[in-house]
Amino acid sequence: MSQPDSQPRNPGLAERLADTRRFSETLCAPLSVEDMGLQACPEVSPPRWHLAHTTWFFETFILKPRCPDYPPFDERFEYLFNSYYNGIGAQYPRPRRHLLSRPDTATVYRWRAQVDEALQELLARDDDPALLALVALGIEHERQHQELLLTDIKHSFSYNPLWPVYQARNDEDARAPDFAWLNYEGGLVEIGARPGDGFHFDNETPRHRQWLEPFALASRPGTCAEYLAFIEDGGYRRPELWLSDGWDWVRQAGAEAPLYWFLDGGAPEYYTLAGRRPIQLHEPVAHLNYYEADAFARWCGKRLPTEAEWEHAAARLPVAGGFVDNHRFHPSVARAGAPDTPAQMFGDVWEWTASAYLPYPGFAPEEGAVGEYNGKFMSNQMVLRGGSCASSRDHLRASYRNFFYPHLRWQFSGVRLAQSMEAPRGPSPTAIA
Amino acid sequence: MSQPDSQPRNPGLAERLADTRRFSETLCAPLSVEDMGLQACPEVSPPRWHLAHTTWFFETFILKPRCPDYPPFDERFEYLFNSYYNGIGAQYPRPRRHLLSRPDTATVYRWRAQVDEALQELLARDDDPALLALVALGIEHERQHQELLLTDIKHSFSYNPLWPVYQARNDEDARAPDFAWLNYEGGLVEIGARPGDGFHFDNETPRHRQWLEPFALASRPGTCAEYLAFIEDGGYRRPELWLSDGWDWVRQAGAEAPLYWFLDGGAPEYYTLAGRRPIQLHEPVAHLNYYEADAFARWCGKRLPTEAEWEHAAARLPVAGGFVDNHRFHPSVARAGAPDTPAQMFGDVWEWTASAYLPYPGFAPEEGAVGEYNGKFMSNQMVLRGGSCASSRDHLRASYRNFFYPHLRWQFSGVRLAQSMEAPRGPSPTAIA
Amino acid sequence: MSQPDSQPRNPGLAERLADTRRFSETLCAPLSVEDMGLQACPEVSPPRWHLAHTTWFFETFILKPRCPDYPPFDERFEYLFNSYYNGIGAQYPRPRRHLLSRPDTATVYRWRAQVDEALQELLARDDDPALLALVALGIEHERQHQELLLTDIKHSFSYNPLWPVYQARNDEDARAPDFAWLNYEGGLVEIGARPGDGFHFDNETPRHRQWLEPFALASRPGTCAEYLAFIEDGGYRRPELWLSDGWDWVRQAGAEAPLYWFLDGGAPEYYTLAGRRPIQLHEPVAHLNYYEADAFARWCGKRLPTEAEWEHAAARLPVAGGFVDNHRFHPSVARAGAPDTPAQMFGDVWEWTASAYLPYPGFAPEEGAVGEYNGKFMSNQMVLRGGSCASSRDHLRASYRNFFYPHLRWQFSGVRLAQSMEAPRGPSPTAIA
Amino acid sequence: MSQPDSQPRNPGLAERLADTRRFSETLCAPLSVEDMGLQACPEVSPPRWHLAHTTWFFETFILKPRCPDYPPFDERFEYLFNSYYNGIGAQYPRPRRHLLSRPDTATVYRWRAQVDEALQELLARDDDPALLALVALGIEHERQHQELLLTDIKHSFSYNPLWPVYQARNDEDARAPDFAWLNYEGGLVEIGARPGDGFHFDNETPRHRQWLEPFALASRPGTCAEYLAFIEDGGYRRPELWLSDGWDWVRQAGAEAPLYWFLDGGAPEYYTLAGRRPIQLHEPVAHLNYYEADAFARWCGKRLPTEAEWEHAAARLPVAGGFVDNHRFHPSVARAGAPDTPAQMFGDVWEWTASAYLPYPGFAPEEGAVGEYNGKFMSNQMVLRGGSCASSRDHLRASYRNFFYPHLRWQFSGVRLAQSMEAPRGPSPTAIA
């Protein structure tokens, strides 16, 4: 890129692209070559695969269709690193990604370099808005995979009784602020991304009206101490606290605590990216699945917020909190926020909502294979909001919709309580005629 | 019941109870003793078990707590015929219900008689509103099991290549009315059961406001002919038409047509409760799961209605249509309705909605073990509306919420199209900042 | 059979046929119509299916090929009741036999009557040796299914916590004789069925020579008391006592005792065909699988006998013992035998041997589909010898080879110890060069 | 090892140890660090695990009990790299070995070096026969794992559509010799390892007598061409050629050819350690499981040899053939042997026998945890004889018993035909009395 005229036409975007691509590699720096191939279960992918797949995304959706002279690095990678885009073609089976020792790590890095160079050249000469939109999409796509890379390697490491340390970390000497309720009047509100507001995914659109009854939100997420009290009160042994599918999960999984927790009599411990350590009780509890978050809320006599309630409450807040940008790779203890403002709405832990992941009224996915990005997953999953300690701050916003199956818990996923105010209930729900 | 004063205090309810109990036995009349034990998969139950469990419901929730002198028929039945009430105690494993050859059919009928007599005696002397509410609940509970009894025996019979005939039936000589769209303005509507409106389940409450954008509903459900066109256009081979989980289901199940259909080259046939027969193309298509209904709608360029849209459209319609009361045990061809009125909203086939089965704002389940009836199933399932040819007409209403897992299709479940009007979409969903 | 000349040409065989067919129905007499359809797992079959399949065997292998005028009862039954004969055609899936409520029990009995009548007519007019051999095979086939019918219904009943009683029974007031060893010199012995000796299966041939080192056999099978001592000594918790596959089975199955045993602290009980009862400690222990029999033998410091050792020891003994003919349907306490004679070699419990079920040298299966009877199962199974309380005495002989997978234990299968004498061992098995 | 007197007391053994240890590392030389962690299924292990486990064997069974001053490299490795020795303690779950990215490859090599040094020091000062026997066992143990390392990496590589090349190789320009039968008289023969004959495993003892009827062996293993003819004659579609369990395997696995074969219409290809290549038709066919070997033999109208027949025929032959020592890592085309001598009895492909893997008469395993080496696997497996192109020549001998489950085929396992001569059959196997 020595040409004198190769100033990118969209300098901000080109730089953001370069930064994002570089950050993926920064995240892999603490990993050995051996670590780069780990895949503990079908839901997680090896770090090397994440590096390759994000590269595949740019090569497949941008370079191949837009650069006739671009020589694909290896035609066979189109199949190997396709995640789930049927519009592109068949996919190498997801549970076997750990078997791809070839291409090796060094080759993947070379591929990344070739694609990065070609992208920068392209951006220097082309400012087609559709191109820029795709590059922006590729950046956010890579940020999502950065988060997965961290949660995936944490999961894979957790099966190794040597308790690998991804990065050492000091404990915090902090207390969570006292719990309080924040009230919201509801009414006819709008949620969803606004055209012109900046990047957003198709699943955040169209912005639309929704009626909310009055509700209250917890001033902060539930903490490890609070969740421990739930456990000690028999939380995992009382079916009346669980959804039916949740109770089935408890029994089949033999669940007794959040993922990564060890409760064997002594001081409670958990596996973290800093190794196995004593649980810091003031931290927001993480690695809950939907069933656990819901059961905890029931035990409290409360419920989870809907995604509309959450977004309504978050809409005017700054996107501030514990993100991957702080390089802690672990949730932080909440700081007291401004008065009447919920703390930790963004960052630290994703917050399970009571909302199923479904299309907004009038939703239409993008055209072409890129349209498979979000829309086809709109069944059987629940929405999470707010981002976590593994998310990039720039990646998040109030309208952002994350989604996972209700039994999964390898994300940094926690719980924020909600309750309905003046619930408009009739007398007996099964009143006789 | 020889006492001169044993006139039931709530004559309508007592009679309805007797009628309902009798109808369960009427439905079993065409079955052999051998048929009474069939259970083809964990989701379905043997007819004899349905007869026993509905009796258990009355004995457990009414006679035992309210009649100190009532001698339970057999204390061991409390465990054997508990379906899923953890509040009552442990349950005999559901997949093994077919192994309960004892108590035999005659014994179950004797149990029914004892319980029926005790209930009538109780109703004759007690008109506690809570009792009446529970009896009403038990009646509707039994009606639900009558529907299951029919769909379950159809499913179990379908594995027998002798194609058992539950009841012979003549084909209809009728054509479905032409397809049309019916428009609705939406706005801030109310859905849910109104206190005082008569019996309803807890999951229909509280009645609450919801905002609807303008939409249109199909004038009738999709027909077998229309669904056949979807199949012939490669519907089951085109991943772009399916939700991701739906496509996984297609491949794992090897699905190529609705349940019970045979497409082997000749005239299409299906297994029905009248045996194996040629498909009547003008009938509403049945035995679709959610994925199939959704894929069909996508192929049409449309979508499924939400449950709020459906209920809003149905709210002022009479509960009329093809119910079990007509003794056809099969969906009927739609008749043209009144102008600007959707046909077959009630009866014939349940209609999959685009709504996940979740609690209404402010929902609280009933107190006690009866509270497990509906609330604990509010995850991973989708709502169906309107009832089917196996439902009792008296059991249905506009606010009625049925729910099943999206992969299941042994119910008489069909599809009604919907579309959004004037969708408030912004320009590009992934517009760059 | 009104012809004056219809005296069967092989009167003994015809009578044996009639007796055997009648006995199948006698065994079903204590069963309700509901019981006739029970199938608790793929390995067991419903009683009604046994009645039908044994009838299928005669119709398929004898009446259809040999009686051009014989009208098959229902052509569809050829598929429905084929167990595993690929040479005949496809088979209704074994795990679903419980779904065949049609043909109903009465129809199966009518089928049996039609086939029985046709067989008797055939035998009255035809004495082709090949026919007689097939009828003899059909008789022994039906006897095998009679044994299965009993063990299968016991298994299916065992899932019903009402503990159905097939037939009441008094306990024995008897003690097992003291344990002793009986010595055998071995040498070059012959095993296998001798041509001309009477009916035998193809898998017992050819009679052949085998070299045996000196060995000793236990004077009687192991008792419940002895097996209980093994359990109390931690038998199910000590991996060193188990084959590797056996230990895997113990852990996966959570096994802690023989099938049907209840050891919950009080007096040990078991489920029997006479209901749930206190364990009679002097009885031979039954319902062990191969792994359990082998682990018990290791715990004793002994081993199981090979089938050649067993047959050599049994060859000159009368076929006497507790068979189904005594109508106890349960193993009896051993009686002291003649001096130097092992007790209970025949009847009461099958005895697991250390021999895999493999072809004898020179073995060739029968021609045609009947050749699938035994030969194709010669892998992954172990040989059992001697018959059980559910076998017919006339069905057994010293050369009889029964075979089951090593993890299965729903047969009346027990354990007889053996040991090698003067084992010709060298010094250290891994001596260095 | 600077002591002037550190000449090993058993110089041959110490050198063999050093050579063997070195060869494991030589075999890993073509592998990348990424390859070292591959595990495609529970049955195979990552190369790095093999390097670690063989080291564990020496540290656990020799250094820890015999060298009080020896500091174990890392106490946690006792659990991590225990394969299946319950006598030592619990084991890290086998299916997860690929998750052990730590200890990394370099650490495992350091561990190897520490153990090697300590072993050489020990051998220099101690010549306890029990020690020498354990070292000899450790050497043979490591040779077994070298073979597994090759077959395992071949299997793991085979899932990568880039078809990794472990080592390039030229095709042979050779033809297999014509097929012939070699006759053996049988009689009372001896098999098993002779005390004093050199190293052997416990499962080869005690040497004992066995009676053999006359038989014939094929002059060479079956070739790819011959196996292809079986396939083309419908071998995988004809149930009559298969054992029942084998036919179940065919249908469940969808098997149509040996493992690694591609028959898609063009010239047949297979995946080899030299990449994907055209099948060399004169080579012995490899990667058959027992069911395939048995079905092929049936199709030929023949059978597999028993292990006694095989050993009797091999007993006087030199241990010569295609072993790992030739660095081809692939079976070679047979060369014509001496007259009346079977070719390729040793090396190239393991030969499935008709014998189940069971204890020899009088067998007793070694004392202690080492006794778990062979004895506890004596159920459900079949014996293979002769070694393969991945075995060390020094590791093999006529009495050597290899064993695998009948459905497994990732070893270089082939087929040699046998037949019985003058089979002593009687007339009809089911002759009537």
Side-chain angles (χ1 to χ4, degrees), chain D residues 96-321:
Chain D
R96 295 188 189 153
R97 288 173 183 167
H98 66 101
L99 296 180
L100 297 176
S101 62
R102 323 279 179 101
D104 64 12
T105 309
T107 304
V108 169
Y109 276 110
R110 281 200 306 279
W111 184 22
R112 291 182 67 86
Q114 171 178 315
V115 163
D116 285 347
E117 187 174 328
L119 285 170
Q120 291 295 343
E121 285 176 8
L122 178 62
L123 283 175
R125 68 172 185 263
D126 189 351
D127 59 0
D128 172 14
L131 165 65
L132 304 189
L134 278 168
V135 171
L137 180 63
I139 289 171
E140 302 306 328
H141 173 257
E142 185 134 357
R143 285 172 170 163
Q144 289 182 319
H145 279 277
Q146 288 163 359
E147 173 152 9
L148 289 172
L149 192 152
L150 286 166
T151 54
D152 290 2
I153 195 67
K154 180 173 182 179
H155 193 60
S156 292
F157 274 165
S158 76
Y159 286 89
N160 191 332
L162 304 184
W163 314 124
V165 173
Y166 172 79
Q167 179 191 274
R169 177 173 51 77
N170 292 327
D171 291 336
E172 293 185 281
D173 181 22
R175 298 181 57 85
D178 287 345
F179 181 93
W181 288 105
L182 302 170
N183 295 323
Y184 297 86
E185 283 187 13
L188 191 62
V189 307
E190 281 202 352
I191 66 165
R194 232 183 298 259
D197 260 9
F199 178 86
H200 52 264
F201 287 110
D202 56 359
N203 63 5
E204 303 168 45
T205 65
R207 187 164 175 86
H208 62 284
R209 286 166 283 191
Q210 192 156 336
W211 180 263
L212 294 184
E213 302 294 339
F215 68 98
L217 269 194
S219 57
R220 56 161 176 73
T223 63
C224 291
E226 288 160 353
Y227 199 83
L228 196 58
F230 163 72
I231 296 174
E232 289 171 349
D233 193 38
Y236 285 86
R237 296 189 305 272
R238 293 166 54 186
E240 71 271 21
L241 297 174
W242 296 80
L243 286 162
S244 181
D245 288 346
W247 185 240
D248 287 349
W249 169 80
V250 166
R251 287 187 297 180
Q252 281 166 25
E256 300 184 330
L259 187 61
Y260 305 138
W261 281 34
F262 299 89
L263 300 179
D264 348 1
E269 296 190 325
Y270 49 14
Y271 176 67
T272 73
L273 282 170
R276 181 164 166 169
R277 302 163 65 85
I279 291 178
Q280 301 301 304
L281 293 171
H282 279 269
E283 287 171 7
V285 61
H287 298 300
L288 303 184
N289 65 23
Y290 174 75
Y291 301 126
E292 290 170 301
D294 176 83
F296 173 77
R298 271 170 218 262
W299 175 73
C300 296
K302 308 301 172 190
R303 62 168 174 85
L304 303 178
T306 65
E307 62 169 327
E309 290 170 341
W310 192 97
E311 182 171 336
H312 177 61
R316 275 174 212 87
L317 301 178
V319 179

Side-chain angles (χ1 to χ4, degrees), chain B residues 38-224:
Chain B
L38 293 180
Q39 180 182 30
C41 66
E43 282 82 9
V44 310
S45 295
R48 187 169 58 247
W49 186 91
H50 285 298
L51 291 186
H53 167 68
T54 48
T55 304
W56 173 95
F57 191 92
F58 286 109
E59 191 177 74
T60 301
F61 290 120
I62 297 178
L63 296 178
K64 284 187 179 177
R66 290 175 175 267
C67 302
D69 297 339
Y70 173 80
F73 190 81
D74 187 324
E75 279 294 2
R76 301 169 301 177
F77 291 3
E78 178 166 301
Y79 164 71
L80 281 186
F81 298 111
N82 181 358
S83 53
Y84 54 64
Y85 295 86
N86 295 312
I88 300 300
Q91 299 113 44
Y92 187 78
R94 185 179 181 185
R96 294 189 189 152
R97 288 173 182 167
H98 64 101
L99 296 180
L100 297 176
S101 62
R102 322 281 179 100
D104 63 12
T105 308
T107 305
V108 170
Y109 276 110
R110 281 199 306 278
W111 185 23
R112 291 181 67 87
Q114 170 178 317
V115 164
D116 286 347
E117 185 174 331
L119 285 170
Q120 292 295 344
E121 285 176 7
L122 177 63
L123 283 175
R125 70 173 183 263
D126 189 350
D127 58 2
D128 171 15
L131 165 66
L132 305 189
L134 278 168
V135 171
L137 181 63
I139 289 171
E140 301 307 328
H141 173 258
E142 184 135 358
R143 284 171 171 165
Q144 289 182 318
H145 279 278
Q146 289 163 359
E147 172 152 9
L148 289 172
L149 192 151
L150 286 166
T151 55
D152 291 2
I153 195 67
K154 180 172 181 178
H155 193 60
S156 293
F157 274 165
S158 76
Y159 287 89
N160 190 332
L162 304 184
W163 315 125
V165 173
Y166 172 79
Q167 180 190 276
R169 177 174 50 78
N170 291 327
D171 291 336
E172 292 184 283
D173 180 21
R175 297 182 58 84
D178 287 345
F179 181 94
W181 286 106
L182 302 171
N183 294 324
Y184 298 85
E185 284 186 14
L188 192 61
V189 307
E190 281 202 353
I191 64 165
R194 233 182 300 257
D197 261 9
F199 178 87
H200 51 264
F201 288 109
D202 56 0
N203 63 5
E204 302 167 49
T205 65
R207 186 163 174 87
H208 62 285
R209 286 165 285 190
Q210 190 155 339
W211 181 262
L212 293 184
E213 303 292 339
F215 68 98
L217 270 194
S219 57
R220 56 161 175 73
T223 63
C224 292

Side-chain angles (χ1 to χ4, degrees), chain B residues 179 181 226 230 241 293-303 415 417 419:
Chain B
F179 181 94
W181 286 106
E226 289 160 353
F230 162 73
L241 297 174
D294 176 83
F296 173 77
R298 270 169 219 263
W299 175 74
C300 296
K302 307 301 172 191
R303 62 169 174 84
V415 56
L417 298 178
Q419 63 180 340

Side-chain angles (χ1 to χ4, degrees), chain A residues 209-222:
Chain A
R209 285 166 286 189
Q210 191 155 340
W211 181 263
L212 294 183
E213 302 293 338
F215 68 99
L217 268 194
S219 57
R220 57 162 175 72

Side-chain angles (χ1 to χ4, degrees), chain C residues 128-163:
Chain C
D128 171 14
L131 165 65
L132 305 189
L134 278 168
V135 171
L137 180 64
I139 289 171
E140 302 306 328
H141 173 258
E142 185 135 358
R143 285 170 170 167
Q144 289 182 318
H145 279 278
Q146 289 163 358
E147 172 151 11
L148 288 172
L149 193 152
L150 286 167
T151 55
D152 290 2
I153 197 66
K154 180 172 182 179
H155 193 61
S156 293
F157 273 165
S158 76
Y159 286 89
N160 191 333
L162 304 184
W163 315 124

